[in-house]
Amino acid sequence: MKYIKELTIIIFISFAGEIFNQLLPFPIPASIYGLFIMLLLLSSKILKVEQVRTVSGFLIEVMPIMFIPSVAGLINSWALISSIWLKLLVYTLVSTIAVMTVTGLTTDFVIGRGQEK
């Protein structure tokens, strides 16, 4: 029963993200709205980490499986991609490094701020 409750909470928050995506005119994916809602709920202690820990851990563990359809789509589209693969590789590397850098700096800032308190 615990797993069903945790999954229901996560699905409800994801659904709320979908609603925000439909209501607000910003080009932000629904999943980002859902993550922001989850962050707000966890930060404000309305939702406790223990209330979603088990199922969220499982979802993180199976996340690589979710990329299989995307990779299969890329393989099927090789005829279109073959002429620009080098550009795509460079863009992917640059954006990955940028995301890792910003994430690391943000994490350092948040951890430093938490240690000050």
Side-chain angles (χ1 to χ4, degrees), residues 1 23-24 26-27 30 32 40-41 43 57-58 63 80 83 88 114:
M1 195 64 172
L23 294 176
L24 299 175
F26 305 115
I32 301 302
L40 288 176
L41 291 174
S43 297
F58 170 75
M63 189 186 308
L80 298 170
S83 63
L88 289 175

Side-chain angles (χ1 to χ4, degrees), residues 28-83:
I28 298 173
S31 58
I32 301 302
Y33 285 121
L35 287 172
F36 187 69
I37 293 167
M38 180 71 83
L39 175 66
L40 288 176
L41 291 174
L42 289 170
S43 297
S44 65
K45 308 276 194 224
I46 293 171
L47 182 65
K48 307 280 189 271
V49 174
E50 293 76 28
Q51 292 176 289
V52 292
R53 182 185 305 270
T54 307
V55 171
S56 60
F58 170 75
L59 291 172
I60 289 171
E61 287 177 11
V62 299
M63 189 186 308
I65 295 170
M66 305 303 169
F67 289 101
I68 292 174
S70 299
V71 173
L74 286 174
I75 291 171
N76 287 336
S77 302
W78 181 250
L80 298 170
I81 297 171
S82 62
S83 63

